[in-house]
Amino acid sequence: MKKILLATNNSHKVDEISHILKDLGYEVLARDQVYKGDFDVEENAPDLKGNALLKAQALSNLVGSKYLVLADDTGLFVDALKGEPGVHSARYAGDQHNDEDNKKKLLQELKEVNEGARTAAFITVLALVQEGKAPVFIEGRLEGHIALEEKGSAGFGYDPLFIPKDYERSLGQMSPEEKNQISHRHKALEKLALYLQGAKTNED
């Protein structure tokens, strides 16, 4: 069985990816199941693709060729702000990665923008690295708009401010199961499953 090592210790990501890939013969592992040392990658690339690759490549260099290594990076891109906060989404209000401050800053930046012009998209980019092969990049995207105020308290980050297209509720008002069915990351992971299915077929 081939093993996919995630550049994260997030158990929710492990469970979600395992569920999507369960019938493809891949075992999904959290980083600390294989590598228990320090792992602090400076995410200084200019885009999501670059940051995802930095994390995946760094871990692949540490663990060697036995594993496929998968990393992701996500950003919120607001049209009225010319794509901001974008690649800086997690530290929009400073390097502290404070969700509350990030949300306050976003609402402040959009205070003069009417609801119809507050379109935005959540984007996740996956980077899949295997020694001796070119990296593979996969994108998932969720279109929507930024609410005038927070709605709901579920989820994390900007979820209470983001209302997906064709929905009236924010991600912060959805159950984890409902959010996962439509999320940008889930869409990217479904594409990953299709890619791996094709790769597996070509190897057989």
Side-chain angles (χ1 to χ4, degrees), residues 16-125:
E16 183 180 9
I17 297 172
S18 296
H19 179 74
I20 291 174
L21 303 184
K22 64 182 178 181
D23 296 325
L24 296 181
Y26 289 89
E27 181 183 2
V28 180
L29 304 169
R31 187 187 73 236
D32 62 2
Q33 290 179 265
V34 175
Y35 182 77
K36 300 183 184 298
D38 291 335
F39 186 75
D40 186 16
V41 178
E42 185 178 0
E43 298 178 37
N44 55 9
D47 53 26
L48 301 179
K49 180 179 176 180
N51 281 334
L53 180 60
L54 283 173
K55 291 181 282 189
Q57 192 65 66
L59 186 56
S60 181
N61 291 342
L62 291 169
V63 301
S65 60
K66 184 178 179 181
Y67 302 92
L68 286 163
V69 178
L70 182 68
D72 70 286
D73 199 33
T74 296
L76 174 64
F77 295 79
V78 181
D79 296 323
L81 301 179
K82 298 181 180 179
E84 288 292 324
V87 72
H88 305 296
S89 294
R91 50 193 182 277
Y92 190 38
D95 291 332
Q96 295 78 20
H97 294 244
N98 186 300
D99 287 348
E100 294 305 314
D101 288 346
N102 287 339
K103 287 183 290 187
K104 288 178 182 176
K105 180 175 180 179
L106 181 59
L107 287 175
Q108 178 65 26
E109 294 291 331
L110 291 172
K111 67 178 182 178
E112 303 298 333
V113 180
N114 65 52
E115 194 164 13
R118 297 162 75 99
T119 53
F122 263 126
I123 299 175
T124 288
V125 175

Side-chain angles (χ1 to χ4, degrees), residues 137-149:
F137 299 98
I138 298 172
E139 179 181 303
R141 186 182 187 100
L142 180 62
E143 302 284 350
H145 71 273
I146 304 301
L148 297 174
E149 60 185 9

